Amino acid sequence: MTDTTTAPESESTPAPARQRPARQGGRGRPQAKPQNPARAPRAVHPVLQQLFELYPKMFGERFLPLKLGVFQDLLALHPELFKRDELKVALGLHARSTRYLESVASGLQRHDLNGEPVEPVAPEHVHHAIMEVFRRRQARANQDLRPYARAQLIEAIEASGLSREDYLLCIRQQDEVSTALLDEAFAELAEQAAKRDALLRTFEASGKTVAEFSDMYGMDPDEVAHTLERARFAKAAQVAKAALAAQAPAEADSQESPPPAEPADETAATDPLEAP
């Protein structure tokens, strides 16, 4: 009986059908490695997987800012499921993830485990998230992302309702990048406020209705009305602030000196999920 089994090729036997890879960079040089090798998917922390299965609205495809004290809530609701140390590590990973920081930076409210909004995020936490996301993205980007970060800071400052002094005191910025971006943001806010104030003065001096004034300058009536409302609100706030400032010295003279302020909490710039 004839043996039809094909013998394996030896290394010395030429293989006409086999295509040799093209050399790159000259004779004897190794081939270039692929530019974007496929990355293995990251392993998900087992506790985070359990949290996703229990609360998909909060730990699923979309992340939402978590309410303060959620660590204690989870321990109380699932004492047999979560160990304290493991849960703390998992929530720390979650809170430091870029997706979670993006949700905080967007200005969304904090939510409970059922996905219901319960409280606003503190301005210092929003600011920290904006700057951290900016740093991470800028490190990988081929373009300047400062304009985007500045726009986010402007929105966060306006949403906080704080003055420049109060905002800076609240966030306690320390690095040069944050300081420079804040200076740019406050300068743009001041310019916008000056334009609104000028529009208000021009409108009041015109004696026109909003519709007539808008038509005279070729502007959108709804936009003009909104701008005038913001200018009036800012003007009223300035008047109220001036009145309080004038009243403060008299009240301070009639009261005893307050106790010395406590040292600033260095952890306030983070987004704590575990109450002290």
Side-chain angles (χ1 to χ4, degrees):
M1 185 173 182
T2 305
D3 185 4
T4 59
T5 303
T6 303
E9 288 184 348
S10 65
E11 293 184 0
S12 60
T13 305
R18 183 184 303 166
Q19 295 183 357
R20 297 179 180 178
R23 294 177 179 176
Q24 299 183 12
R27 180 175 297 180
R29 295 183 182 179
Q31 300 180 40
K33 295 181 179 180
Q35 293 294 329
N36 296 313
R39 294 182 178 180
R42 293 182 179 179
V44 179
H45 194 285
V47 175
L48 286 177
Q49 180 63 36
Q50 291 175 312
L51 290 172
F52 163 70
E53 295 171 357
L54 289 170
Y55 304 102
K57 291 183 179 180
M58 299 303 299
F59 298 91
E61 182 177 353
R62 184 190 183 197
F63 288 177
L64 292 171
L66 289 162
K67 60 165 286 192
L68 299 179
V70 71
F71 177 80
Q72 286 83 356
D73 292 348
L74 287 168
L75 287 179
L77 289 169
H78 308 282
E80 76 292 342
L81 185 60
F82 298 124
K83 295 181 179 179
R84 184 181 183 88
D85 292 342
E86 293 179 354
L87 180 61
K88 187 174 183 178
V89 170
L91 287 179
L93 292 172
H94 181 74
R96 289 190 297 271
S97 68
T98 300
R99 285 177 58 196
Y100 182 83
L101 289 172
E102 286 175 339
S103 72
V104 176
S106 67
L108 294 172
Q109 286 195 312
R110 293 191 181 276
H111 292 63
D112 61 20
L113 291 171
N114 295 320
E116 297 296 328
V118 293
E119 58 189 348
V121 178
E124 60 268 29
H125 297 159
V126 177
H127 177 85
H128 167 78
I130 291 173
M131 293 307 305
E132 182 61 26
V133 171
F134 165 71
R135 293 187 186 97
R136 294 182 186 184
R137 293 195 177 281
Q138 188 63 77
R140 303 191 303 268
N142 296 323
Q143 60 183 5
D144 184 12
L145 300 181
R146 290 167 63 93
Y148 178 74
R150 183 170 60 248
Q152 277 196 305
L153 286 174
I154 289 174
E155 186 176 348
I157 293 168
E158 289 189 310
S160 72
L162 299 173
S163 65
R164 176 174 183 148
E165 294 75 15
D166 291 339
Y167 189 88
L168 294 177
L169 182 63
C170 177
I171 64 168
R172 300 188 302 278
Q173 86 284 359
Q174 297 178 351
D175 60 282
E176 294 181 1
V177 174
S178 177
T179 300
L181 280 173
L182 278 172
D183 286 343
E184 295 173 9
F186 280 116
E188 187 169 337
L189 283 170
E191 183 179 352
Q192 294 175 2
K195 290 180 178 179
R196 290 194 297 267
D197 188 56
L199 182 68
L200 177 61
R201 291 198 306 269
T202 305
F203 171 75
E204 292 177 342
S206 70
K208 304 287 187 180
T209 64
V210 171
E212 293 170 341
F213 182 83
S214 303
D215 183 65
M216 183 169 58
Y217 287 97
M219 303 172 69
D220 180 75
D222 292 337
E223 184 177 345
V224 169
H226 177 68
T227 303
L228 292 174
E229 182 180 359
R230 291 192 62 184
R232 292 190 182 102
F233 179 82
K235 186 176 181 179
Q238 289 178 351
V239 172
K241 184 177 181 179
L244 288 174
Q247 184 180 0
E251 293 181 350
D253 292 340
S254 62
Q255 296 179 357
E256 296 181 358
S257 299
E262 295 182 357
D265 181 6
E266 295 299 330
T267 63
T270 62
D271 180 23
L273 299 179
E274 180 184 7

